[in-house]
Amino acid sequence: MDSTIGSPEFADSFMVERLNEYGLAVRFQRAEGNKLYYVADDGTEVGVLDGVSGFGSLMFGHNNPEIVEHAKWVLDQQTPVHAQMGGYSYALNLATELNKIVRRELQTEDKFFAQFGNTGAEAVEIAIKHAELDRGIRIAGLKGGIEANIAQARAAVSEGATISEAAAAIAGGQDMDRLVAEVTRRNAETEARPAQFLALEGGFHGKLIASVQLTYNPGLRGPFRALAAQATFVPRDQPDMIAKVMEQDRAALLDLVVQDGVVDVVERDFPVFTAFLVEPIMGEAGIYPLTAEHAVALREACDTYGVPLIADEVQSGMGRSGTFLAGTQIGLKPDYIVLAKALGGGIAKLGVVLINEHIYHKPFEFIHSSTFAKDGFSTRIALKVLEMLEAEDGKAYKLAAERGAKAKATMEAIKADYPEIVKEIRGQGLMLGFEFHDQAGSASAKIREANETSVLPLRILGHLMRKHDFRIARTASGPWTMRFEPSIFLTDEEIATVDAAFRDVCEILRSEDVSRFV
Ligand code: F0G
């Protein structure tokens, strides 16, 4: 079988064309550890330090030998990959192991029921589907209660009860039929409101039909607005706005109560928002860790207004921040936890949603499914990944923290030496962002010109690749932020490569001579 990677005649032709403009399109033939390898024109194999790392999927690096070995074993065992509707599967084992870890980190006895998918976005969509099912059940309960109260009020009036002033104002007089009709009409209006979500400005939650509307980037979300429920985006750096936004959109259903022979109208809070989605460390936005203040504001507001809190840990989770959940470090107490990416060990694909038992609806297990979810291969790989993360008293988490701190300190030193070039270093553990100043303000006309066509960041990426064999991606929402998310096996030598590469770029930008970019 021909092993060389073909031409983009029938896929990614535009993508390859654009990447080729900056020398970023490469036929990587091999991957191991933190490196991708291609064969140069002279036939030598070139290793490229991979700072993209599957957008955070590679806690144990490319083709980790232990995981690959395990994958071979799983297949050699003739593990049932497809055993749908058998009830029992290795997904049950995985759910058990995930509960052990998240209950420890969240310091809770609550159970979290697992629902499985195949990607991060799909896991997000499973979470919001369940949240909308939950909202519908809560609304039905409200309506049922109101209907029963209206019947009681009617019975009371037929036995001589009067209508309060406030109720008469709604009915236009002491007319029970008109009161009920008006209450019913207003409630129908409120119930007809479309489902709404809350998310943070800059948030990224996937690119599928529903999840893309929770992803802030207008370029990704805009063309598809008509297809799915919308989100209200709360400013990322204003935790106090969280409750205010919920208060602004507050809604209520009218209910009738009978007290001392008088029928009165009261309000019942209506669940306006299906859920609030947050990334404890915002990835696509440009690597912004949330704070303990966010965690408190979110929990309090979600409790006050009855909004389920979904922690999207697809990128920040799985130990990358130095703890299994990044939310642990800020005391975040979510109702849902979404995981994917690194859960597959760099070779399998799966996503999972953990749903707190207090809001979980078991019939959902027959409402949602997908052919490959809970498959025997991915779930047994994920079990191996959890075993490796938890081994030696969580050595992997400590490594993520230590290696990340060392890489971050190296980047901070570059910022200190080039304050006019490097704007900020952000992140936690091995989820780091290196932000250059937007060069629009450069003293150099050449830099400004290159910057204007917004290709300067791409020129930088190409230079890093071609000159330093270092591959990194900028965040789509933060074009000047380079996202560095390597495996826990990041070596001092690889950190030195990053140091030299970024310093070279800073020197070129400081020299104002963009022709030096190769
Ligand atoms: N949620 C978060 C926080 C993500 O970072 C991503 C993907 C998703 C959901 C969707 O997961 O790609 O498996 O469907 N982030 C990638 C990135 C695309 O560039 O950070 P997916």
Side-chain angles (χ1 to χ4, degrees):
M1 184 175 77
D2 180 6
S3 64
T4 50
I5 298 172
S7 76
E9 195 180 345
F10 300 104
D12 284 345
S13 53
F14 180 56
M15 167 87 73
V16 171
E17 183 189 310
R18 285 283 288 157
L19 289 172
N20 265 329
E21 288 171 28
Y22 306 96
L24 293 170
V26 180
R27 285 185 170 84
F28 291 114
Q29 302 278 11
R30 191 168 72 84
E32 184 186 5
N34 278 317
K35 290 233 172 50
L36 288 165
Y37 295 85
Y38 68 90
V39 179
D41 295 344
D42 64 4
T44 56
E45 185 180 63
V46 178
V48 175
L49 174 58
D50 183 16
V52 180
S53 291
F55 297 128
S57 302
L58 301 170
M59 276 297 285
F60 295 105
H62 288 283
N63 291 313
N64 174 281
E66 197 177 339
I67 296 174
V68 169
E69 202 48 46
H70 180 71
K72 290 174 182 172
W73 174 83
V74 166
L75 297 174
D76 289 344
Q77 297 299 304
Q78 295 186 312
T79 300
V81 177
H82 292 280
Q84 294 85 348
M85 297 312 290
Y88 294 95
S89 70
Y90 287 102
L92 309 186
N93 309 53
L94 183 53
T96 302
E97 293 311 309
L98 284 167
N99 264 269
K100 280 181 197 161
I101 300 170
V102 301
R103 293 165 85 183
R104 179 189 73 221
E105 288 211 349
L106 294 174
Q107 297 172 322
T108 180
E109 291 304 310
D110 287 358
K111 286 165 66 171
F112 283 81
F113 285 96
Q115 279 287 325
F116 292 88
N118 304 284
T119 64
E122 194 189 318
V124 165
E125 301 231 352
I126 294 169
I128 61 180
K129 265 183 80 173
H130 181 278
E132 180 59 14
L133 175 72
D134 176 56
R135 188 176 80 101
I137 290 168
R138 283 186 283 147
I139 291 170
L142 263 176
K143 286 172 68 173
I146 291 170
E147 276 157 26
N149 289 343
I150 287 176
Q152 273 183 3
R154 278 191 183 283
V157 165
S158 66
E159 288 158 15
T162 59
I163 295 176
S164 73
E165 243 179 76
I170 290 174
Q174 286 287 332
D175 181 330
M176 188 59 182
D177 288 340
R178 284 181 57 184
L179 174 60
V180 171
E182 183 56 16
V183 163
T184 306
R185 186 190 67 77
R186 292 189 191 185
N187 286 353
E189 250 176 31
T190 305
E191 288 153 25
R193 288 175 65 146
Q196 280 179 267
F197 289 91
L198 286 162
L200 294 179
E201 284 179 3
F204 185 99
H205 300 289
K207 297 178 180 175
L208 297 180
I209 293 297
S211 48
V212 79
Q213 295 308 318
L214 314 176
T215 290
Y216 183 68
N217 187 318
L220 300 176
R221 168 170 50 98
F224 313 106
R225 288 173 60 89
L227 297 178
Q230 298 298 289
T232 300
F233 292 99
V234 179
R236 170 183 69 229
D237 52 357
Q238 297 172 43
D240 58 329
M241 279 299 291
I242 291 166
K244 286 183 187 141
V245 167
M246 291 185 191
E247 182 58 34
Q248 274 164 11
D249 269 5
R250 186 171 203 164
L253 295 183
L254 299 181
D255 195 359
L256 299 182
V257 292
V258 185
Q259 204 133 25
D260 307 329
V262 178
V263 173
D264 206 351
V265 180
V266 295
E267 288 194 341
R268 307 281 183 209
D269 274 344
F270 178 78
V272 168
F273 294 106
T274 302
F276 198 139
L277 289 96
V278 293
E279 302 155 79
I281 301 175
M282 299 179 75
E284 260 305 284
I287 310 292
Y288 289 96
L290 298 191
T291 62
E293 191 189 354
H294 281 103
V296 169
L298 282 162
R299 191 65 268 163
E300 283 177 0
C302 287
D303 288 345
T304 304
Y305 295 93
V307 180
L309 179 57
I310 300 178
D312 180 346
E313 295 252 21
V314 163
Q315 186 170 164
S316 58
M318 297 302 300
R320 177 155 296 283
S321 69
T323 46
F324 184 75
L325 299 173
T328 302
Q329 297 180 43
I330 59 171
L332 190 68
K333 301 291 183 193
D335 302 302
Y336 295 75
I337 302 163
V338 187
L339 296 164
K341 288 187 193 265
L343 186 59
I347 60 173
K349 284 190 271 189
L350 76 164
V352 65
V353 195
L354 300 174
I355 306 169
N356 188 294
E357 64 176 305
H358 298 305
I359 51 171
Y360 183 61
H361 298 285
K362 294 189 172 182
F364 188 75
E365 292 165 17
F366 283 94
I367 294 175
H368 183 83
S369 66
S370 81
T371 303
F372 289 93
K374 302 186 280 193
D375 75 282
F377 178 75
S378 305
T379 47
R380 292 194 92 174
I381 297 293
L383 280 162
K384 179 68 182 174
V385 171
L386 296 188
E387 182 191 297
M388 291 166 69
L389 283 174
E390 293 282 298
E392 299 178 70
D393 192 25
K395 181 180 168 192
Y397 307 127
K398 299 181 182 77
L399 255 182
E402 183 273 327
R403 295 282 81 199
K406 179 139 194 192
K408 189 173 184 181
T410 300
M411 293 176 179
E412 292 285 6
I414 299 171
K415 175 176 178 293
D417 292 344
Y418 296 92
E420 87 283 9
I421 304 292
V422 183
K423 183 175 180 183
E424 191 174 30
I425 309 300
R426 291 183 298 273
Q428 191 79 30
L430 287 168
M431 189 168 172
L432 297 173
F434 185 101
E435 185 174 13
F436 289 95
H437 281 294
D438 181 322
Q439 295 301 312
S442 166
S444 150
K446 286 185 210 131
I447 295 269
R448 282 198 310 277
E449 184 199 331
N451 181 73
E452 265 146 36
T453 50
S454 80
V455 296
L456 194 51
L458 291 166
R459 293 282 307 274
I460 290 171
L461 296 181
H463 181 78
L464 290 170
M465 171 87 88
R466 282 193 293 256
K467 176 89 181 299
H468 296 278
D469 294 327
F470 172 41
R471 174 176 113 95
I472 195 165
R474 58 193 188 136
T475 56
S477 307
W480 283 103
T481 299
M482 308 300 165
R483 206 172 11 152
F484 187 59
E485 301 193 38
S487 81
I488 57 175
F489 302 121
L490 181 69
T491 64
D492 288 347
E493 184 195 2
E494 289 166 343
I495 293 174
T497 298
V498 175
D499 188 34
F502 276 144
R503 286 181 181 275
D504 181 26
V505 168
C506 290
E507 270 305 322
I508 293 173
L509 291 174
R510 178 175 278 176
S511 76
E512 304 175 357
D513 179 1
V514 287
S515 66
R516 286 172 53 188
F517 285 130
V518 298

